[in-house]
């Protein structure tokens, strides 16, 4: 079964990424057909993810700076 991939800015909003990860945990109790791509500060996101070991297989973390670099590479702004 193909999983739905959802990208999330894990650092935006009040009490982030704590609330974002809590929301993912709630979402996965109802439907395990998602992969969440969390964008933000890796160390902070991982520190919150470790509190929910059951969801780590459904999450990928992308460093915010890597995301910006990848976009610039995509649009040819970095040689």
């Amino acid at each position: 079964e193909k999983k739905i991939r959802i990208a999330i800015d894990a650092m935006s909003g009040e009490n982030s990424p704590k609330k974002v990860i809590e929301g993912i945990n709630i979402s996965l109790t109802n439907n395990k057909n998602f992969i969440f791509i969390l964008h933000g500060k890796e160390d902070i996101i991982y520190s919150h993810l470790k509190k929910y070991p059951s969801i780590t297989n459904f999450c990928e973390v992308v460093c915010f700076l890597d995301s910006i670099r990848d976009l610039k590479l995509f649009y040819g702004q970095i040689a």
Side-chain angles (χ1 to χ4, degrees), residues 47-63:
S47 72
H48 288 279
L49 272 177
K50 71 181 180 183
K51 298 171 188 171
Y52 298 92
S54 63
I55 72 170
T56 56
N57 290 335
F58 298 92
C59 295
E60 299 173 13
V61 178
V62 177
C63 177

Side-chain angles (χ1 to χ4, degrees), residues 21-34 36 52 54-55 58:
I21 292 170
E22 288 173 355
I24 289 170
N25 186 51
I26 292 167
S27 173
L28 289 171
T29 60
N30 298 317
N31 187 341
K32 303 255 190 252
N33 198 35
F34 298 117
F36 294 94
Y52 298 92
S54 63
I55 72 170
F58 298 92

Side-chain angles (χ1 to χ4, degrees), residues 6-23:
I6 301 172
I8 300 173
D9 177 359
M11 303 308 294
S12 66
E14 196 170 318
N15 297 315
S16 292
K18 181 179 183 261
K19 292 294 182 184
V20 170
I21 292 170
E22 288 173 355

